[in-house]
Amino acid sequence: MTRGVLIAPSILGADPLSVGAAIDSLAGGYDWLHLDVMDGHFVRNLSFGPDMAKALRRRYPEAFLDVHLMLDNPDAFSAAFVRAGASQIAVHAEAEPQLLYGRLLKIREAGARAGVVLAPATTVEQVRFVLPVADIVLVMSVTPGFGGQPPIESALEKVRDLVRLRSVENYRYLIQMDGGIKLENAARTAAAGADVLVVGSALFGSPDPAGYIARIKEEIHKS
Ligand code: DX5
Ligand code: ZN
């Protein structure tokens, strides 16, 4: 299978003291840069804010900045991330689901691509109402909040459901998988139908991160 799968390194997996050097070690071999934004409340961790997106945009003017907001109140920050240079913003379905549809529209009006994130306890059925306006559907294969966790197998089933729905309904979203992806399971995840793979700790923990992405792409290509 030769379908082009995109690789989105999660900078959360990089040494916080040298994020720029970690990105440079990829030698441009990535497709998107994935930013995990955490508020310490929606998830039990804190990360970074719009200034990180701004700094990345300044240093990597052509990069696709893929922002994953793990926030109770994404409305307080989505416009600031768009102004900072975010290319795409995905918000969690579990944060005030009654506001989700309008949230996606607002992000698109502000000038970025918009999407929805499903934490492991959320079903595809629960987000069906926003699929017509989603540019991305991010399926989390770990509990949101931390890198380095093993993936939950059932997330692949959601990916397969999303592929089916997209073809039946003619939706346009890309399907992204986030959590525990590494060389050993990337091809299987891609084969289930994921279009974009987030890779954090496995990638930045590797002695040769640029080679690691190349090997993931090879594995996908072979399968
Ligand atoms: C978890 C984050 C993930 C994480 C992926 O809340 O959304 O993006 O950084 O990291 P790994 O690849 O280490 O699971
Ligand atoms: Zn993420």
Side-chain angles (χ1 to χ4, degrees), residues 1-6 166 175 187 189-196 220-221:
M1 202 235 296
T2 54
R3 194 168 51 95
V5 170
L6 306 179
R166 180 174 58 190
I175 304 166
T189 310
D195 305 295
V196 189
I220 293 172
H221 193 77

Side-chain angles (χ1 to χ4, degrees), residues 10 34-36 68 70 138 140 178 198:
S10 165
H34 185 78
L35 281 72
D36 287 306
H68 171 190
M70 282 163 269
L138 195 170
M140 290 220 61
D178 185 3
V198 176

Side-chain angles (χ1 to χ4, degrees), residues 10-13 34 36 38 43 68 70 138 140 142-149 178-182 198-203:
S10 165
I11 61 166
L12 190 72
H34 185 78
D36 287 306
M38 306 178 180
V43 292
H68 171 190
M70 282 163 269
L138 195 170
M140 290 220 61
V142 296
T143 304
F146 298 91
Q149 308 175 67
D178 185 3
I181 297 176
K182 50 188 176 196
V198 176
V199 195
S201 49
L203 173 64

Side-chain angles (χ1 to χ4, degrees), residues 7-11 13-14 18-34 56 60 199-214 216-217:
I7 303 296
S10 165
I11 61 166
S18 30
V19 171
I23 295 171
D24 293 341
S25 76
L26 305 175
Y30 57 87
D31 297 293
W32 295 358
L33 291 174
H34 185 78
L56 290 170
Y60 307 99
V199 195
S201 49
L203 173 64
F204 289 112
S206 138
D208 170 21
Y212 197 84
I213 294 187
I216 287 182
K217 292 205 167 185

Side-chain angles (χ1 to χ4, degrees), residues 147-197:
Q149 308 175 67
I152 300 169
E153 193 62 27
S154 61
L156 291 178
E157 209 39 61
K158 289 187 203 174
V159 171
R160 292 187 193 102
D161 287 347
L162 285 163
V163 170
R164 274 192 292 270
L165 264 175
R166 180 174 58 190
S167 105
V168 172
E169 304 288 352
N170 219 5
Y171 294 145
R172 66 163 178 282
Y173 54 76
L174 291 178
I175 304 166
Q176 183 173 27
M177 178 88 118
D178 185 3
I181 297 176
K182 50 188 176 196
L183 187 58
E184 292 74 13
N185 59 19
R188 215 153 53 86
T189 310
D195 305 295
V196 189
L197 305 182

